[in-house]
Amino acid sequence: MARLLPDVGGTVGRIVATAQNGLEVIRMGGLDTGTEPTPYQVVETEKMYRLRRYFPADTGEGYAHVVLVPPMMVSANVYDVGPENGAASVLYRHKVIPWVVDFGSPDHEEGGMERTLTDHVVAISRVIDLVRRVTGQDVHLGGYSQGGMFAYQTAAYRRSKGIASVITFGSPVDILAALPLGLPAQLAVPGAEFVADNVFNRLWIPSWLARAGFQLVDPVKTVRSRIDFLRKLHDRDALLPREDQRRFIEQEGWVAWSGPAVAELLRQFVVHNRMMSGGFVIDGDVVSMTEITSPILAFVGETDDIGQPLAVRGIVRAAPDAEVYESDLPVGHFGLVVGSKAGQITWPTVGEWIQWQEGNGDRPAAIDRMRPTAPSERGTGISWANRLTYGVGQVAGVGNTVSKELVGAVSGLQRTTKAVATESVRTVPRLFRLGQIEPSTRVSLGKLMSENAKRTPNEEAFLFEDRVLTHAQVNTRINNVVAGLIECGIRPGVHVGMMMDPRPSALVTVAALSRLGAVAVLLPSWDELPELLALAETKVIVTDPVHLDRAATACDRVLVLGGGSSDARAIERADGERIVDMEKIDPERVRMPSWYRPDPGLAGDLAFILFTETQGRVNRWSITNHRFAMSAFGAAAAAGLSSRDTVYCLPPLHHASGLLTTLGATAAGRSRIALSTGVDPERFSREVRRYGVTVVSYTWNMLSDILDDPKFDASQLGSVRLFMGSGLTTGLWKRIREQLPKARVLEFFATADGSAILANVEDNKIGSMGVALPETNPVRIAAYDPVTERLEIDRETGYIRETGPGEIGMMVAHAGQRFEASGLVLRDVFRPRDRWEVAGSLFRADSEGDLWFVGSAQGVVQSAAGPVFTVPMQQALSQINGVKAVGVYSVGESGQQLAVAVMQLSHGFTSLTPTQIRVALGELPAEQRPHLVRIVDEIPLSESFRPLTRSFAAKGMPKPGAKIWYRDPDGRYRRFTATAASSVDLHQIPNAIGGGTTDEDVADGDVARDDLDVIAE
């Protein structure tokens, strides 16, 4: 019976102990563990931080040194929670001196609530310099969670200078691959963008909210730990080992977040995911994770729902030049750095890693080389086994996991629908706006830039030479240039020539002329410069110092802009009258006239003048604001451009691709535009990675040298999703497909007068020009006889006959806007009272309605066997392995002309075989193959990288040689020797050889291109 009696004394003792311990917790915030913090000394104090050096009594002789960075919302004491398991103590036992950056609590620091992400990164960089000066050696840099993101960003900002290695703990890199709590990116990204722009630019996060947010990540675990604490409150000895950790997590470990820093973090690294793509901005410099070359060790929590494994492992792709290792722990986010597992595994492994990097030990057993995540891997990277192990007894947690995985599965099944919806959200508003444009609508490049500056003033607009200009800075610069132009006597409607390299000053000048209402005449560096000025009725040129001499020779009044404003830029020839240095004009002192109205341009107003060249004749191309808007909004919609894109601009502004489909589309899409100083393979790869380029613009053969370069590594261009431009050969197109399978090509075509704008949006038919962009002028193919050079009339109806599938005809564009027509306009073409503009471009339509360019009407080779179209030959020959550039020209008189194909081979190739030529041209009918094929050392290229054949055509009939072949009567190619030249009559080769070809055959092998209707020389 005695054994059955309750232990009254024990019960009373537990009640008393519970009361005593509970009172201590209420009064003191926790139990007195008797432990003392690890000794440290604050060795440097700045406005942004205090730098702690642990174990100050030790001189550190023979020790390595590590700088540890806490997250913004967590106290620096996170590296000293407990004497046994804390980072400071464990690292010291491994002969490593910890230096900890203490940012303090921003709500208690002067200016703390105004701190930005850049302030933190720059401060860490200063700390590294300080520690290196003191210790005389490179330091290791580590960070937990978002502090690890700081560590990565600092290493990239410094390009690993002075950093022996980088160590991170649960720090996500590819954030959109696996967002915290399994949130879908389709919801999180717009939400993050909204809060960054509308909440955190005004508010900040107090420490209590940061603590609550962390605890809500795993509410079941939070509630369970508190219940366990209360159940054990009577047993002081059981609670003391974890008391320091509990107090840190529940009370003492949290500090406030500054709003601007959180906003910048969300905007750059969640919305734009720029730790993966590159191109984030630190202190005005463009930075990419690809700049990191130091070894990296990333700790991965196998059950971490904040720094999820898939997101953490993104570092191996983001920093391809670094050796990346990982160490996996069966813990959650906090357990990586605090607790028994951290003391037993994490910090000893860090100590071993540092000693290994210092050459004082072996590679730690707990680390492995990190492998890139396979594209097929989805979800979070947390396995079911780990979740079940971690979640034993947490039914709610397991249920939450199941829900996430089910949501992920449904998301995978519906990804096509979501993609369509996303693109609709992007493109529909632009196309709707395009459809609402009337002749009296105010629309211009200058107005687009103004709208962007008002909407996102602090977003980046231009990237150039690793520097950044925001929309607000660009807008201010545009207004300053407008003031300078007015001071120089420029008024609305004046035609102003522009001859400038594609630098920020050039883009600003174009926008300034638009804002003023003047007409920008974009001049190429042709020998016919005086003729161009006369055609455009231009008497003044704005130029940069590089083109000053050429501009001054051709024009009596030159305004010099750009190239900096320092004394080193002095323009000695500037006299204030004939040559004016606009950088010397103070815009603040310019009195703006009463007539000045910013962005006065209407849709029907002339905005730009470009030039094209056909058959050696220079043509003027006048572009109204409406046609500019059609191209800009249409291209932006077709490319799906948004503020998350960075567009790499390679084409010159005097080319339609540079002005319309790059600058115009970027402004319409509010994307960043990255400018370069030229086309160089090494610079291309470096800048694409550094700027985080997502869209690359091109013209003609611009990408040839880049793809041919032996050092070109396509795997390092993972951020590029699109190549956008015009003039791409079929051969280059296929090579892009092969080397960058994740990127697609968006090929544009615009007629010489701008009446039609086509785009191959789907990228499913290599070489096709696609169809007319939505909300641009509809196009049709009219039957055309290239011999008589007349449109064919349907005798039954009396109207022009429309071609059938596969039939070559003249493309005509609907002339809906009367003020727009700048070319030949025909009425009553297909039905009564219709109006169609003729631009002179020949096309054929396939059975699905996609258009294929075959050349210009003026460029048709009039041979004895009938008309020969040049573009299909060029595209076919460009597919031969080793061919760098191709051109086709004609020799002889009309009716007896011969088609001559000229090719330049890539480096390392010396010649071709007749079989290669015949196979490449095999899908063309024999009469549509060149009469002669020759190899030359070099084909001249224009500024837009278009192959020029005028010099070859001027020399007439090619001479026989070892690298020239002729087409024989059987359709084969044979060496064009002196004997063959004297015995073979190339004009009399039958045209029935080789048979015909189906529409499918042609669609597969006959490709064409020319956005300016100037392919035939």
Side-chain angles (χ1 to χ4, degrees):
M1 292 294 295
R3 293 180 180 178
L4 298 177
L5 293 176
D7 185 1
V8 177
T11 302
V12 172
R14 284 194 296 271
I15 293 174
V16 172
T18 299
Q20 289 176 338
N21 293 336
L23 182 61
E24 182 177 349
V25 170
I26 293 173
R27 292 180 57 200
M28 310 299 296
L31 302 176
D32 183 7
T33 62
T35 59
E36 296 291 334
T38 305
Y40 69 84
Q41 178 182 354
V42 176
V43 296
E44 181 69 16
T45 300
E46 290 191 9
K47 187 176 179 179
M48 268 298 300
Y49 68 88
R50 286 175 287 276
L51 180 61
R52 303 178 182 180
R53 187 211 193 263
Y54 281 82
F55 304 100
D58 194 322
T59 61
E61 186 69 29
Y63 281 66
H65 299 265
V66 62
V67 174
L68 297 173
V69 183
M72 282 192 293
M73 71 291 193
V74 175
S75 163
N77 293 331
V78 70
Y79 297 116
D80 187 26
V81 181
E84 296 299 323
N85 297 324
S89 302
V90 177
L91 290 175
Y92 184 68
R93 292 197 291 269
H94 284 77
K95 299 186 73 62
V96 178
I97 298 291
W99 303 66
V100 175
V101 181
D102 181 5
F103 294 117
S105 185
D107 51 345
H108 297 125
E109 303 287 343
E110 180 185 356
M113 291 294 95
E114 284 74 45
R115 290 175 178 175
T116 65
L117 183 140
T118 291
D119 294 333
H120 289 81
V121 173
V122 173
I124 297 168
S125 182
R126 290 201 301 270
V127 166
I128 293 172
D129 289 333
L130 187 151
V131 175
R132 290 182 69 209
R133 285 198 302 270
V134 172
T135 63
Q137 62 189 75
D138 289 348
V139 300
H140 301 265
L141 179 62
Y144 162 58
S145 188
Q146 191 264 324
M149 295 171 66
F150 276 154
Y152 285 138
Q153 293 153 15
T154 304
Y157 174 63
R158 296 175 60 90
R159 300 180 186 174
S160 290
K161 180 182 178 182
I163 299 175
S165 75
V166 179
I167 310 158
T168 63
F169 312 89
S171 301
V173 176
D174 191 0
I175 296 178
L176 294 186
L179 286 162
L181 307 180
L183 294 172
Q186 292 87 347
L187 296 178
V189 169
E193 188 170 22
F194 177 81
V195 234
D197 292 338
N198 300 283
V199 178
F200 290 125
N201 59 343
R202 301 181 180 90
L203 303 176
W204 52 280
I205 300 179
S207 57
W208 64 266
L209 186 57
R211 178 181 68 247
F214 182 84
Q215 292 172 348
L216 286 174
V217 169
D218 195 344
V220 174
K221 183 178 179 181
T222 300
V223 172
R224 190 186 66 173
S225 64
R226 291 187 177 181
I227 293 175
D228 287 346
F229 178 79
L230 292 175
R231 290 178 61 245
K232 297 178 181 178
L233 196 56
H234 67 281
D235 190 350
R236 188 183 187 91
D237 292 336
L239 293 176
L240 286 181
R242 296 178 57 84
E243 179 62 7
D244 289 331
Q245 177 180 337
R246 186 195 69 81
R247 290 182 65 169
F248 186 88
I249 294 176
E250 295 192 5
Q251 298 176 29
E252 302 167 354
W254 305 96
V255 295
W257 283 18
S258 65
V262 178
E264 193 173 355
L265 183 146
L266 290 175
R267 192 177 296 114
Q268 291 213 58
F269 304 121
V270 177
V271 176
H272 301 300
N273 203 24
R274 285 189 177 136
M275 286 188 74
M276 281 302 297
S277 66
F280 57 92
V281 180
I282 301 295
D283 197 28
D285 289 336
V286 185
V287 182
S288 168
M289 297 281 282
T290 59
E291 309 286 356
I292 301 177
T293 55
S294 306
I296 296 172
L297 173 60
F299 283 84
V300 181
E302 294 176 353
T303 56
D304 189 345
D305 270 320
I306 297 179
Q308 302 202 26
L310 201 63
V312 172
R313 292 188 176 112
I315 183 60
V316 74
R317 290 183 289 117
D321 295 338
E323 293 184 2
V324 184
Y325 294 82
E326 67 174 284
S327 181
D328 300 347
L329 275 71
V331 295
H333 193 63
F334 208 73
L336 285 169
V337 292
V338 174
S340 58
K341 292 289 186 185
Q344 296 167 8
I345 302 176
T346 301
W347 299 115
T349 302
V350 172
E352 294 171 4
W353 162 270
I354 291 176
Q355 294 302 334
W356 180 45
Q357 294 299 320
E358 295 288 325
N360 300 325
D362 297 328
R363 169 176 158 172
I367 72 171
D368 293 295
R369 287 297 291 263
M370 184 180 288
R371 62 176 181 83
T373 304
S376 57
E377 294 187 40
R378 296 175 184 165
T380 64
I382 303 176
S383 67
W384 274 94
N386 288 333
R387 283 201 182 277
L388 291 173
T389 302
Y390 180 67
V392 170
Q394 301 183 40
V395 177
V398 174
N400 185 40
T401 299
V402 173
S403 300
K404 291 175 186 175
E405 296 298 337
L406 289 175
V407 169
V410 174
S411 176
L413 293 173
Q414 296 179 339
R415 60 184 180 272
T416 302
T417 304
K418 289 181 178 178
V420 171
T422 301
E423 290 304 312
S424 298
V425 169
R426 289 182 184 179
T427 59
V428 168
R430 294 173 188 153
L431 297 178
F432 177 78
R433 179 175 179 180
L434 190 57
Q436 300 302 306
I437 295 177
E438 297 293 336
S440 59
T441 304
R442 284 183 63 200
V443 61
S444 64
L445 173 61
K447 192 169 188 297
L448 282 179
M449 304 290 273
S450 296
E451 292 173 356
N452 290 342
K454 290 177 182 177
R455 186 172 180 177
T456 54
N458 299 318
E459 289 284 309
E460 302 92 14
F462 296 161
L463 310 179
F464 180 68
E465 293 185 342
D466 301 337
R467 302 298 295 174
V468 179
L469 290 174
T470 65
H471 285 289
Q473 291 171 326
V474 170
N475 202 56
T476 300
R477 176 66 172 161
I478 291 172
N479 290 332
N480 291 341
V481 174
V482 168
L485 291 170
I486 291 176
E487 181 73 6
C488 294
I490 307 300
R491 297 176 61 88
V494 174
H495 293 198
V496 180
M498 261 195 61
M499 185 176 287
M500 306 176 77
D501 286 335
R503 302 166 64 95
S505 56
L507 273 61
V508 164
T509 303
V510 174
L513 291 170
S514 174
R515 180 159 299 172
L516 179 57
V519 178
V521 181
L522 299 164
L523 300 167
S525 299
W526 294 351
D527 295 333
E528 301 87 352
L529 186 55
E531 180 185 350
L532 302 182
L533 295 174
L535 274 175
E537 303 170 273
T538 303
K539 298 184 181 302
V540 59
I541 294 178
V542 179
T543 185
D544 52 24
V546 176
H547 296 90
L548 173 58
D549 291 341
R550 188 171 182 79
T553 302
C555 189
D556 292 334
R557 183 165 171 79
V558 180
L559 311 180
V560 187
L561 188 66
S565 57
S566 62
D567 294 337
R569 181 198 164 276
I571 306 298
E572 297 180 356
R573 300 176 58 184
D575 55 14
E577 292 295 331
R578 186 172 182 273
I579 298 178
V580 180
D581 186 356
M582 290 186 62
E583 297 291 349
K584 301 298 183 182
I585 299 174
D586 184 357
E588 298 295 331
R589 296 186 177 183
V590 176
R591 182 178 179 180
M592 304 302 284
S594 59
W595 54 257
Y596 174 63
R597 178 189 180 193
D599 305 316
L602 303 180
D605 292 343
L606 180 61
F608 308 101
I609 295 177
L610 301 180
F611 298 94
T612 65
E613 185 179 7
T614 306
Q615 297 285 354
R617 187 179 70 255
V618 176
N619 304 302
R620 165 177 159 167
W621 177 5
S622 299
I623 301 174
T624 63
N625 282 314
H626 180 243
R627 283 202 167 154
F628 169 79
M630 277 203 314
S631 298
F633 285 102
L641 294 182
S642 71
S643 59
R644 300 168 199 164
D645 283 305
T646 301
V647 181
Y648 194 54
C649 180
L650 290 174
L653 287 178
H654 60 74
H655 190 279
S657 283
L659 176 67
L660 304 179
T661 58
T662 301
L663 176 58
T666 304
R670 293 189 298 115
S671 307
R672 305 193 306 178
I673 184 166
L675 299 165
S676 184
T677 55
V679 181
D680 175 77
E682 183 178 352
R683 184 189 299 115
F684 175 86
S685 296
R686 182 178 67 250
E687 291 183 340
V688 165
R689 294 164 59 186
R690 182 172 298 162
Y691 296 155
V693 170
T694 57
V695 178
V696 175
S697 62
Y698 64 82
T699 52
W700 298 92
N701 275 37
M702 190 171 282
L703 301 176
S704 179
D705 284 340
I706 295 170
L707 297 180
D708 283 343
D709 188 77
K711 297 180 181 178
F712 175 70
D713 185 359
S715 64
Q716 296 185 4
L717 306 183
S719 65
V720 177
R721 67 173 182 85
L722 181 69
F723 288 85
M724 176 177 72
S726 60
L728 191 67
T729 65
T730 306
L732 284 176
W733 197 328
K734 287 187 174 180
R735 290 178 62 188
I736 291 174
R737 280 271 194 92
E738 294 168 356
Q739 298 187 40
L740 292 161
K742 293 183 179 180
R744 67 185 181 93
V745 172
L746 176 59
E747 176 74 8
F748 288 99
F749 177 97
T751 54
D753 58 2
S755 59
I757 303 172
L758 312 179
N760 185 339
V761 178
E762 298 298 327
D763 188 27
N764 56 358
K765 296 178 181 178
I766 294 180
S768 169
M769 294 299 97
V771 296
L773 282 175
E775 295 300 333
T776 64
N777 294 333
V779 299
R780 297 171 79 171
I781 309 299
Y784 175 77
D785 184 348
V787 177
T788 62
E789 300 182 359
R790 293 179 180 178
L791 297 175
E792 295 184 1
I793 298 176
D794 187 335
R795 294 186 178 181
E796 293 184 2
T797 64
Y799 294 108
I800 301 299
R801 182 175 65 83
E802 191 170 1
T803 61
E807 183 182 358
I808 294 174
M810 178 75 70
M811 184 176 71
V812 294
H814 186 252
Q817 302 276 8
R818 293 179 180 271
F819 69 90
E820 278 289 88
S822 59
L824 173 65
V825 176
L826 301 179
R827 298 187 179 188
D828 302 316
V829 179
F830 300 109
R831 60 181 176 82
R833 292 182 295 279
D834 64 355
R835 302 174 73 251
W836 295 85
E837 190 168 354
V838 182
S841 301
L842 300 181
F843 277 83
R844 64 175 178 82
D846 62 24
S847 57
E848 296 178 339
D850 289 303
L851 303 180
W852 301 76
F853 182 60
V854 299
S856 68
Q858 296 175 333
V860 175
V861 178
Q862 301 292 352
S863 74
V868 179
F869 304 101
T870 59
V871 174
M873 305 179 203
Q874 288 179 290
Q875 302 304 342
L877 292 172
S878 72
Q879 300 178 57
I880 300 177
N881 183 35
V883 171
K884 184 181 184 68
V886 185
V888 178
Y889 62 94
S890 63
V891 294
E893 298 298 325
S894 180
Q896 294 293 316
Q897 289 180 337
L898 299 178
V900 182
V902 58
M903 293 185 289
Q904 176 185 340
L905 302 184
S906 300
H907 180 72
F909 292 83
T910 57
S911 188
L912 299 177
T913 65
T915 301
Q916 287 177 290
I917 299 172
R918 180 174 57 82
V919 170
L921 295 166
E923 296 193 12
L924 296 180
E927 67 272 12
Q928 292 298 322
R929 301 173 193 172
H931 297 87
L932 292 170
V933 176
R934 58 184 299 208
I935 294 176
V936 296
D937 294 335
E938 183 178 10
I939 298 178
L941 301 177
S942 69
E943 289 178 292
S944 56
F945 287 77
R946 168 190 162 210
L948 301 176
T949 57
R950 186 189 309 168
S951 59
F952 301 114
K955 296 178 181 178
M957 184 72 177
K959 296 180 180 179
K963 296 182 179 180
I964 182 168
W965 298 265
Y966 72 96
R967 192 186 78 207
D968 70 7
D970 296 325
R972 303 175 184 274
Y973 282 89
R974 302 184 181 278
R975 183 73 53 81
F976 190 55
T977 62
T979 302
S982 61
S983 60
V984 177
D985 185 358
L986 299 177
H987 299 287
Q988 300 303 318
I989 295 177
N991 62 3
I993 298 173
T997 179
T998 65
D999 181 63
E1000 290 75 14
D1001 292 332
V1002 177
D1004 187 47
D1006 176 10
V1007 287
R1009 175 116 349 62
D1010 183 45
D1011 65 326
L1012 295 178
D1013 187 25
V1014 291
I1015 194 164
E1017 292 286 338

